[in-house]
Amino acid sequence: MTTTDSQKKGKIPGWLAIPEPVKRLPDAEVDQKYPNMRLQVFMGIFIGYATFYLIRNNVPLVAPILTDQLGFSNTAIGVLSTSLLLAYGFSKFLTAMISDRSNARLFLPIGLVLSSIANILLALTGYMGEGAQAGTAAAAIASTMAAIMVFNGVFQGMGWPPSGRVLVNWFSTGERGGKVAIWNTAHNVGAALSGALVAWGFAAFGKSWEVAFWFPAAASLVLAAISWFLIRDNPEAEGLPPIAEYRNDPDKVESTKEDRTESTWTTLRKHVLGNRTIVNLALANVFVYTLRYGVLVWTPKYLHDVRHASLEGGLMGFSILEISGIFGTLLCGFISDYVFKGRRSPAGILFLLATVATILLYSMDAPLWVAMIALALFGGLIYGPVMLIGLQAIDLSPSHVAGTAAGFTGLFGYALGATMASTGVGIIVDVWGWGAAFSFMIACALIAAVFLFMVNGDEKRLMAERKARMMRDNVQMDTEAE
Protein backbone atom coordinates (compact mmCIF):
# COMPACT_ATOMS: atom_id res chain seq x y z
CA MET A 1 0.00 0.00 0.00
CA THR A 2 1.27 3.49 -0.76
CA THR A 3 0.71 6.27 1.70
CA THR A 4 -1.18 8.42 -0.72
CA ASP A 5 -3.64 5.57 -1.34
CA SER A 6 -5.04 6.57 2.05
CA GLN A 7 -6.61 9.65 0.48
CA LYS A 8 -10.31 8.94 0.52
CA LYS A 9 -13.27 10.78 -0.85
CA GLY A 10 -13.49 14.24 0.62
CA LYS A 11 -12.67 17.79 -0.34
CA ILE A 12 -9.34 19.07 0.93
CA PRO A 13 -7.81 22.29 -0.44
CA GLY A 14 -4.98 21.53 -2.82
CA TRP A 15 -2.41 23.39 -0.74
CA LEU A 16 -3.26 21.22 2.30
CA ALA A 17 -3.61 17.86 0.52
CA ILE A 18 -1.27 14.90 1.06
CA PRO A 19 1.75 15.37 -1.23
CA GLU A 20 1.86 12.99 -4.18
CA PRO A 21 4.62 10.40 -4.67
CA VAL A 22 7.67 11.40 -6.66
CA LYS A 23 10.06 9.26 -8.68
CA ARG A 24 11.76 6.60 -6.55
CA LEU A 25 15.38 7.37 -5.68
CA PRO A 26 18.14 4.86 -6.52
CA ASP A 27 18.65 2.18 -3.88
CA ALA A 28 21.93 3.66 -2.69
CA GLU A 29 20.30 7.03 -2.07
CA VAL A 30 17.32 5.37 -0.38
CA ASP A 31 19.61 3.59 2.08
CA GLN A 32 21.39 6.86 2.87
CA LYS A 33 18.37 9.16 3.04
CA TYR A 34 15.78 7.00 4.81
CA PRO A 35 17.40 6.83 8.29
CA ASN A 36 18.14 10.56 8.29
CA MET A 37 14.61 11.47 7.24
CA ARG A 38 13.10 9.17 9.88
CA LEU A 39 15.08 10.92 12.61
CA GLN A 40 14.21 14.34 11.21
CA VAL A 41 10.45 13.78 11.01
CA PHE A 42 10.45 12.13 14.44
CA MET A 43 12.09 15.20 15.95
CA GLY A 44 9.55 17.36 14.14
CA ILE A 45 6.50 15.65 15.60
CA PHE A 46 8.16 15.34 19.02
CA ILE A 47 8.90 19.06 19.24
CA GLY A 48 5.53 19.93 17.75
CA TYR A 49 3.48 17.77 20.08
CA ALA A 50 5.47 18.83 23.15
CA THR A 51 4.74 22.43 22.19
CA PHE A 52 1.00 21.78 22.20
CA TYR A 53 1.35 20.94 25.88
CA LEU A 54 3.02 24.27 26.64
CA ILE A 55 -0.27 25.97 25.80
CA ARG A 56 -2.92 23.31 26.27
CA ASN A 57 -4.41 24.01 29.68
CA ASN A 58 -2.44 26.24 32.02
CA VAL A 59 -5.43 26.98 34.23
CA PRO A 60 -4.38 24.38 36.87
CA LEU A 61 -0.98 26.07 37.15
CA VAL A 62 -2.58 29.32 38.34
CA ALA A 63 -5.65 27.88 40.09
CA PRO A 64 -4.58 29.22 43.52
CA ILE A 65 -4.13 32.71 42.03
CA LEU A 66 -7.53 32.55 40.32
CA THR A 67 -9.09 31.59 43.65
CA ASP A 68 -7.25 34.23 45.69
CA GLN A 69 -7.54 37.14 43.25
CA LEU A 70 -10.83 36.43 41.49
CA GLY A 71 -12.67 34.17 43.94
CA PHE A 72 -13.01 31.22 41.54
CA SER A 73 -14.39 28.09 43.25
CA ASN A 74 -13.10 24.57 42.58
CA THR A 75 -16.18 23.98 40.42
CA ALA A 76 -15.51 27.15 38.39
CA ILE A 77 -11.89 26.15 37.81
CA GLY A 78 -13.07 22.68 36.80
CA VAL A 79 -15.51 24.18 34.29
CA LEU A 80 -12.69 26.15 32.65
CA SER A 81 -10.66 22.98 32.17
CA THR A 82 -13.73 21.09 31.00
CA SER A 83 -14.45 23.72 28.34
CA LEU A 84 -11.08 23.01 26.78
CA LEU A 85 -11.00 19.25 27.28
CA LEU A 86 -14.50 18.69 25.93
CA ALA A 87 -13.76 20.73 22.81
CA TYR A 88 -10.41 18.98 22.46
CA GLY A 89 -11.99 15.53 22.61
CA PHE A 90 -14.44 16.27 19.79
CA SER A 91 -11.78 18.12 17.80
CA LYS A 92 -9.27 15.28 18.09
CA PHE A 93 -11.83 12.96 16.51
CA LEU A 94 -13.25 15.29 13.85
CA THR A 95 -9.93 16.82 12.80
CA ALA A 96 -8.48 13.30 12.52
CA MET A 97 -10.81 12.64 9.59
CA ILE A 98 -9.43 15.79 7.94
CA SER A 99 -5.86 15.04 8.99
CA ASP A 100 -5.97 11.58 7.37
CA ARG A 101 -6.34 13.44 4.04
CA SER A 102 -3.99 16.33 4.80
CA ASN A 103 -0.29 17.14 4.73
CA ALA A 104 0.96 16.63 8.30
CA ARG A 105 3.78 19.12 7.68
CA LEU A 106 1.19 21.92 7.44
CA PHE A 107 -1.65 20.59 9.57
CA LEU A 108 0.29 20.38 12.85
CA PRO A 109 2.01 23.81 12.75
CA ILE A 110 -1.23 25.54 11.76
CA GLY A 111 -2.86 24.10 14.87
CA LEU A 112 0.02 25.36 17.01
CA VAL A 113 -0.21 28.90 15.65
CA LEU A 114 -3.98 29.07 16.21
CA SER A 115 -3.65 27.67 19.74
CA SER A 116 -0.94 30.24 20.54
CA ILE A 117 -3.26 33.04 19.44
CA ALA A 118 -6.02 31.63 21.67
CA ASN A 119 -3.68 31.66 24.68
CA ILE A 120 -2.70 35.26 24.03
CA LEU A 121 -6.41 36.13 23.98
CA LEU A 122 -6.83 34.31 27.31
CA ALA A 123 -4.18 36.58 28.81
CA LEU A 124 -5.93 39.66 27.45
CA THR A 125 -9.13 38.78 29.35
CA GLY A 126 -7.30 39.81 32.53
CA TYR A 127 -7.59 43.43 31.46
CA MET A 128 -11.37 43.22 31.10
CA GLY A 129 -11.97 43.76 34.79
CA GLU A 130 -10.00 46.96 35.19
CA GLY A 131 -12.24 49.59 36.77
CA ALA A 132 -15.11 47.16 37.39
CA GLN A 133 -16.35 45.74 40.69
CA ALA A 134 -14.57 42.56 41.77
CA GLY A 135 -17.57 40.23 41.45
CA THR A 136 -18.62 41.60 38.07
CA ALA A 137 -15.07 41.45 36.75
CA ALA A 138 -14.59 37.85 37.90
CA ALA A 139 -17.81 36.71 36.23
CA ALA A 140 -16.91 38.46 32.97
CA ILE A 141 -13.40 37.03 32.98
CA ALA A 142 -14.61 33.49 33.76
CA SER A 143 -17.24 33.43 31.01
CA THR A 144 -14.89 34.93 28.42
CA MET A 145 -12.09 32.53 29.37
CA ALA A 146 -14.46 29.56 29.07
CA ALA A 147 -15.43 30.61 25.53
CA ILE A 148 -11.80 31.06 24.46
CA MET A 149 -10.87 27.74 26.06
CA VAL A 150 -13.37 26.05 23.73
CA PHE A 151 -11.58 27.49 20.70
CA ASN A 152 -8.22 26.54 22.15
CA GLY A 153 -9.48 22.99 22.59
CA VAL A 154 -10.50 22.86 18.93
CA PHE A 155 -7.05 23.99 17.80
CA GLN A 156 -5.32 21.62 20.21
CA GLY A 157 -7.07 18.73 18.47
CA MET A 158 -4.87 19.36 15.43
CA GLY A 159 -1.80 17.88 17.15
CA TRP A 160 -2.26 14.15 17.72
CA PRO A 161 -3.82 13.09 14.38
CA PRO A 162 -1.01 14.36 12.09
CA SER A 163 1.58 13.01 14.53
CA GLY A 164 -0.10 9.60 14.39
CA ARG A 165 -0.08 9.74 10.59
CA VAL A 166 3.62 10.48 10.54
CA LEU A 167 4.34 7.61 12.94
CA VAL A 168 2.38 5.17 10.77
CA ASN A 169 3.97 6.44 7.56
CA TRP A 170 7.58 6.39 8.75
CA PHE A 171 7.73 3.58 11.36
CA SER A 172 6.58 0.00 10.83
CA THR A 173 4.54 -2.22 13.11
CA GLY A 174 7.42 -4.18 14.61
CA GLU A 175 9.27 -1.09 15.83
CA ARG A 176 6.29 1.12 16.57
CA GLY A 177 5.93 0.25 20.26
CA GLY A 178 9.30 1.69 21.20
CA LYS A 179 9.06 4.64 18.82
CA VAL A 180 5.57 5.62 19.99
CA ALA A 181 6.70 5.27 23.62
CA ILE A 182 9.55 7.71 23.00
CA TRP A 183 7.33 10.11 21.05
CA ASN A 184 4.61 9.92 23.69
CA THR A 185 7.01 11.38 26.26
CA ALA A 186 6.44 14.66 24.40
CA HIS A 187 3.33 14.83 26.62
CA ASN A 188 5.50 14.93 29.67
CA VAL A 189 8.28 17.10 28.29
CA GLY A 190 5.79 19.74 27.16
CA ALA A 191 3.70 19.68 30.34
CA ALA A 192 6.78 19.79 32.59
CA LEU A 193 8.22 22.66 30.56
CA SER A 194 4.91 24.51 30.81
CA GLY A 195 5.31 24.57 34.59
CA ALA A 196 8.94 25.67 34.25
CA LEU A 197 8.04 28.37 31.71
CA VAL A 198 5.28 29.73 33.95
CA ALA A 199 7.64 29.80 36.94
CA TRP A 200 10.21 31.61 34.78
CA GLY A 201 7.53 34.05 33.67
CA PHE A 202 6.54 34.71 37.27
CA ALA A 203 10.15 35.47 38.16
CA ALA A 204 10.58 37.82 35.19
CA PHE A 205 7.18 39.55 35.04
CA GLY A 206 5.56 39.01 38.45
CA LYS A 207 2.98 36.53 39.76
CA SER A 208 0.16 37.58 37.48
CA TRP A 209 -2.03 34.75 36.18
CA GLU A 210 -1.99 36.25 32.68
CA VAL A 211 1.71 35.41 32.39
CA ALA A 212 0.84 31.70 32.40
CA PHE A 213 -0.86 32.12 29.02
CA TRP A 214 0.95 34.72 26.94
CA PHE A 215 4.52 33.76 27.86
CA PRO A 216 4.32 30.08 26.76
CA ALA A 217 2.31 31.18 23.70
CA ALA A 218 5.15 33.40 22.51
CA ALA A 219 7.60 30.48 22.76
CA SER A 220 5.14 28.21 20.93
CA LEU A 221 5.04 30.41 17.84
CA VAL A 222 8.79 29.93 17.39
CA LEU A 223 8.57 26.17 17.96
CA ALA A 224 5.74 25.88 15.42
CA ALA A 225 8.10 27.17 12.73
CA ILE A 226 10.75 24.61 13.75
CA SER A 227 8.20 21.80 13.50
CA TRP A 228 7.19 22.89 10.00
CA PHE A 229 10.84 22.86 8.93
CA LEU A 230 11.41 19.27 10.17
CA ILE A 231 8.21 17.35 9.38
CA ARG A 232 7.61 15.47 6.12
CA ASP A 233 4.28 13.75 5.54
CA ASN A 234 5.21 10.45 3.90
CA PRO A 235 8.22 8.62 2.45
CA GLU A 236 6.85 8.28 -1.08
CA ALA A 237 6.68 12.07 -1.46
CA GLU A 238 10.42 12.11 -0.74
CA GLY A 239 11.26 9.47 -3.36
CA LEU A 240 11.41 6.65 -0.79
CA PRO A 241 9.54 3.32 -0.61
CA PRO A 242 6.66 2.77 1.85
CA ILE A 243 7.92 1.86 5.31
CA ALA A 244 6.34 -1.64 5.27
CA GLU A 245 8.28 -2.40 2.08
CA TYR A 246 11.50 -0.81 3.30
CA ARG A 247 11.56 -2.82 6.53
CA ASN A 248 9.66 -5.89 5.27
CA ASP A 249 7.25 -5.49 8.17
CA PRO A 250 3.53 -5.53 7.21
CA ASP A 251 0.76 -3.91 9.23
CA LYS A 252 -1.21 -5.93 11.81
CA VAL A 253 -4.44 -5.12 9.98
CA GLU A 254 -4.57 -5.18 6.18
CA SER A 255 -6.63 -2.82 4.05
CA THR A 256 -7.67 -3.20 0.43
CA LYS A 257 -7.75 -0.60 -2.30
CA GLU A 258 -11.55 -0.57 -1.99
CA ASP A 259 -11.21 0.22 1.72
CA ARG A 260 -9.02 3.21 0.96
CA THR A 261 -11.53 4.72 -1.50
CA GLU A 262 -14.61 4.38 0.73
CA SER A 263 -16.66 7.38 1.79
CA THR A 264 -15.96 8.97 5.17
CA TRP A 265 -19.14 7.56 6.74
CA THR A 266 -18.53 4.04 5.42
CA THR A 267 -14.96 4.11 6.73
CA LEU A 268 -16.11 5.40 10.12
CA ARG A 269 -18.89 2.84 10.44
CA LYS A 270 -16.85 -0.12 9.23
CA HIS A 271 -13.48 0.44 10.88
CA VAL A 272 -14.29 2.49 13.97
CA LEU A 273 -17.90 2.49 15.20
CA GLY A 274 -18.40 -1.14 14.19
CA ASN A 275 -15.01 -2.30 15.44
CA ARG A 276 -15.41 -3.93 18.86
CA THR A 277 -11.72 -3.58 19.65
CA ILE A 278 -11.65 0.17 19.00
CA VAL A 279 -14.88 0.72 20.96
CA ASN A 280 -13.50 -1.14 23.99
CA LEU A 281 -10.28 0.87 23.75
CA ALA A 282 -12.34 4.05 23.72
CA LEU A 283 -14.26 2.96 26.82
CA ALA A 284 -11.02 2.07 28.60
CA ASN A 285 -9.71 5.51 27.68
CA VAL A 286 -12.62 7.19 29.48
CA PHE A 287 -11.41 5.86 32.81
CA VAL A 288 -7.68 6.15 32.05
CA TYR A 289 -8.13 9.85 31.31
CA THR A 290 -10.36 10.37 34.33
CA LEU A 291 -7.56 8.93 36.42
CA ARG A 292 -4.80 10.86 34.64
CA TYR A 293 -6.46 14.25 34.78
CA GLY A 294 -8.14 13.60 38.13
CA VAL A 295 -4.68 13.69 39.68
CA LEU A 296 -2.87 16.02 37.26
CA VAL A 297 -5.38 18.87 36.99
CA TRP A 298 -5.85 19.08 40.72
CA THR A 299 -2.23 18.60 41.84
CA PRO A 300 -1.35 22.31 42.37
CA LYS A 301 -4.68 22.94 44.14
CA TYR A 302 -4.50 19.85 46.36
CA LEU A 303 -0.90 20.47 47.36
CA HIS A 304 -1.63 24.14 48.09
CA ASP A 305 -4.94 23.72 49.95
CA VAL A 306 -4.44 20.39 51.75
CA ARG A 307 -0.68 19.89 52.00
CA HIS A 308 -0.01 23.64 52.50
CA ALA A 309 2.58 23.82 49.73
CA SER A 310 3.54 27.18 48.25
CA LEU A 311 2.46 28.16 44.74
CA GLU A 312 5.91 27.16 43.51
CA GLY A 313 5.60 23.87 45.43
CA GLY A 314 2.35 23.10 43.60
CA LEU A 315 4.03 23.79 40.27
CA MET A 316 6.91 21.53 41.28
CA GLY A 317 4.51 18.67 42.05
CA PHE A 318 2.89 19.13 38.64
CA SER A 319 6.29 18.99 36.93
CA ILE A 320 7.46 15.99 38.99
CA LEU A 321 4.43 14.00 37.83
CA GLU A 322 5.09 14.85 34.20
CA ILE A 323 8.85 14.24 34.26
CA SER A 324 8.46 10.84 35.92
CA GLY A 325 5.98 9.95 33.19
CA ILE A 326 8.85 9.99 30.69
CA PHE A 327 10.57 7.03 32.32
CA GLY A 328 7.33 5.14 32.94
CA THR A 329 6.23 5.53 29.33
CA LEU A 330 9.55 4.20 28.01
CA LEU A 331 9.45 1.28 30.46
CA CYS A 332 5.88 0.41 29.49
CA GLY A 333 6.74 0.48 25.78
CA PHE A 334 9.75 -1.76 26.42
CA ILE A 335 7.67 -4.23 28.45
CA SER A 336 4.94 -4.40 25.79
CA ASP A 337 7.50 -4.96 23.00
CA TYR A 338 9.91 -7.38 24.65
CA VAL A 339 8.15 -9.01 27.61
CA PHE A 340 4.70 -9.38 26.07
CA LYS A 341 6.01 -9.67 22.47
CA GLY A 342 4.05 -6.78 21.00
CA ARG A 343 0.88 -7.26 23.03
CA ARG A 344 -0.03 -3.96 24.66
CA SER A 345 -3.01 -4.84 26.87
CA PRO A 346 -1.18 -6.88 29.57
CA ALA A 347 1.33 -4.08 30.16
CA GLY A 348 -1.49 -1.53 30.40
CA ILE A 349 -3.38 -3.66 32.93
CA LEU A 350 -0.24 -4.14 35.03
CA PHE A 351 0.48 -0.41 35.17
CA LEU A 352 -3.15 0.52 35.95
CA LEU A 353 -3.36 -1.84 38.90
CA ALA A 354 -0.13 -0.38 40.28
CA THR A 355 -1.56 3.17 40.18
CA VAL A 356 -4.02 2.19 42.91
CA ALA A 357 -1.20 1.92 45.45
CA THR A 358 0.20 5.33 44.45
CA ILE A 359 -3.19 7.03 44.90
CA LEU A 360 -3.51 5.52 48.36
CA LEU A 361 -0.04 6.86 49.20
CA TYR A 362 -0.86 10.30 47.75
CA SER A 363 -4.02 10.59 49.85
CA MET A 364 -2.29 9.78 53.15
CA ASP A 365 -1.97 12.44 55.84
CA ALA A 366 1.82 12.52 55.65
CA PRO A 367 4.63 15.04 55.07
CA LEU A 368 4.74 16.89 51.77
CA TRP A 369 7.70 14.87 50.51
CA VAL A 370 5.57 11.70 50.68
CA ALA A 371 3.02 13.31 48.36
CA MET A 372 5.82 14.26 45.96
CA ILE A 373 7.08 10.66 45.89
CA ALA A 374 3.53 9.45 45.27
CA LEU A 375 3.19 11.89 42.36
CA ALA A 376 6.46 10.64 40.86
CA LEU A 377 5.30 7.03 41.10
CA PHE A 378 1.86 7.84 39.73
CA GLY A 379 3.32 9.75 36.78
CA GLY A 380 5.64 6.85 36.04
CA LEU A 381 2.67 4.50 35.85
CA ILE A 382 -0.31 6.33 34.35
CA TYR A 383 1.39 7.49 31.15
CA GLY A 384 2.07 3.89 30.14
CA PRO A 385 -1.63 3.09 29.59
CA VAL A 386 -2.18 6.56 28.08
CA MET A 387 0.49 5.82 25.47
CA LEU A 388 -0.57 2.20 24.87
CA ILE A 389 -4.21 2.98 24.10
CA GLY A 390 -3.20 5.46 21.41
CA LEU A 391 -0.69 2.95 20.07
CA GLN A 392 -3.26 0.15 20.05
CA ALA A 393 -5.72 2.35 18.17
CA ILE A 394 -3.27 2.83 15.29
CA ASP A 395 -1.90 -0.73 15.57
CA LEU A 396 -5.25 -2.52 15.56
CA SER A 397 -6.89 -0.58 12.73
CA PRO A 398 -6.02 -0.27 9.02
CA SER A 399 -3.29 2.28 8.40
CA HIS A 400 -5.52 4.54 6.30
CA VAL A 401 -7.80 5.19 9.30
CA ALA A 402 -5.10 5.27 11.99
CA GLY A 403 -5.67 8.92 12.87
CA THR A 404 -9.45 8.53 12.92
CA ALA A 405 -9.29 5.47 15.20
CA ALA A 406 -6.93 7.23 17.60
CA GLY A 407 -9.13 10.32 17.45
CA PHE A 408 -12.16 8.22 18.39
CA THR A 409 -10.45 6.89 21.52
CA GLY A 410 -9.33 10.43 22.28
CA LEU A 411 -12.91 11.70 21.92
CA PHE A 412 -14.03 9.33 24.67
CA GLY A 413 -10.97 10.06 26.80
CA TYR A 414 -11.39 13.81 26.74
CA ALA A 415 -15.13 14.36 26.23
CA LEU A 416 -16.07 11.92 28.99
CA GLY A 417 -12.95 11.06 30.99
CA ALA A 418 -11.33 14.47 31.29
CA THR A 419 -14.74 16.03 31.96
CA MET A 420 -15.27 13.71 34.92
CA ALA A 421 -11.74 14.53 36.07
CA SER A 422 -12.08 18.32 35.93
CA THR A 423 -15.67 19.34 36.64
CA GLY A 424 -16.59 15.99 38.21
CA VAL A 425 -13.70 15.91 40.67
CA GLY A 426 -14.24 19.60 41.44
CA ILE A 427 -17.85 18.91 42.41
CA ILE A 428 -16.89 15.82 44.43
CA VAL A 429 -14.28 17.81 46.38
CA ASP A 430 -16.66 20.72 47.03
CA VAL A 431 -19.47 18.41 48.23
CA TRP A 432 -17.80 15.34 49.77
CA GLY A 433 -14.12 16.21 50.13
CA TRP A 434 -10.82 14.88 48.84
CA GLY A 435 -11.26 11.39 50.32
CA ALA A 436 -14.27 10.73 48.11
CA ALA A 437 -12.36 12.05 45.10
CA PHE A 438 -9.50 9.60 45.65
CA SER A 439 -11.94 6.67 46.04
CA PHE A 440 -13.48 7.69 42.72
CA MET A 441 -10.06 7.65 41.03
CA ILE A 442 -9.27 4.16 42.36
CA ALA A 443 -12.56 2.88 40.93
CA CYS A 444 -11.62 4.37 37.55
CA ALA A 445 -8.29 2.50 37.54
CA LEU A 446 -10.03 -0.84 38.13
CA ILE A 447 -12.72 -0.27 35.49
CA ALA A 448 -10.11 0.72 32.88
CA ALA A 449 -8.20 -2.50 33.60
CA VAL A 450 -11.37 -4.53 32.94
CA PHE A 451 -11.85 -2.95 29.50
CA LEU A 452 -8.21 -3.56 28.57
CA PHE A 453 -8.65 -7.19 29.58
CA MET A 454 -11.51 -7.38 27.03
CA VAL A 455 -9.26 -5.85 24.35
CA ASN A 456 -6.54 -8.40 25.13
CA GLY A 457 -8.46 -11.27 23.48
CA ASP A 458 -8.95 -9.37 20.22
CA GLU A 459 -5.31 -8.30 20.23
CA LYS A 460 -4.08 -11.90 20.54
CA ARG A 461 -6.36 -12.97 17.67
CA LEU A 462 -5.18 -10.19 15.33
CA MET A 463 -1.53 -10.91 16.06
CA ALA A 464 -2.05 -14.60 15.35
CA GLU A 465 -3.67 -13.72 12.01
CA ARG A 466 -0.74 -11.42 11.17
CA LYS A 467 1.76 -14.19 11.93
CA ALA A 468 -0.12 -16.63 9.70
CA ARG A 469 -0.26 -14.02 6.90
CA MET A 470 3.49 -13.42 7.08
CA MET A 471 4.20 -17.19 6.96
CA ARG A 472 1.93 -17.53 3.94
CA ASP A 473 3.64 -14.64 2.16
CA ASN A 474 7.09 -16.10 2.88
CA VAL A 475 6.06 -19.48 1.45
CA GLN A 476 4.73 -17.73 -1.65
CA MET A 477 7.99 -15.81 -2.09
CA ASP A 478 10.03 -19.01 -1.74
CA THR A 479 7.84 -20.74 -4.33
CA GLU A 480 8.23 -17.88 -6.80
CA ALA A 481 12.00 -17.88 -6.26
CA GLU A 482 12.16 -21.55 -7.23
Side-chain angles (χ1 to χ4, degrees), residues 339-358:
V339 176
F340 295 109
K341 308 301 181 184
R343 287 169 51 218
R344 319 299 181 189
S345 301
I349 293 169
L350 178 66
F351 274 54
L352 280 170
L353 294 179
T355 62
V356 173
T358 67

Side-chain angles (χ1 to χ4, degrees), residues 54 58 60-62 65 190-216 300 310-320:
L54 296 181
N58 288 347
L61 301 179
V62 290
I65 299 179
L193 286 177
S194 71
L197 268 179
V198 171
W200 184 14
F202 285 163
F205 304 103
K207 291 183 180 179
S208 168
W209 64 264
E210 294 93 341
V211 173
F213 297 98
W214 69 258
F215 190 56
S310 64
L311 179 62
E312 290 80 5
L315 293 176
M316 183 175 71
F318 186 94
S319 295
I320 284 174

Side-chain angles (χ1 to χ4, degrees), residues 289-302 318 321 355 358-359 362 374-375 378-379 382 421 425 434 438 441:
Y289 269 68
T290 303
L291 181 59
R292 171 192 175 188
Y293 279 104
V295 176
L296 180 67
V297 166
W298 295 101
T299 287
K301 196 82 166 65
Y302 173 72
F318 186 94
L321 189 157
T355 62
T358 67
I359 294 171
Y362 186 53
L375 284 172
F378 177 82
I382 190 58
V425 170
W434 285 102
F438 289 127
M441 294 176 201

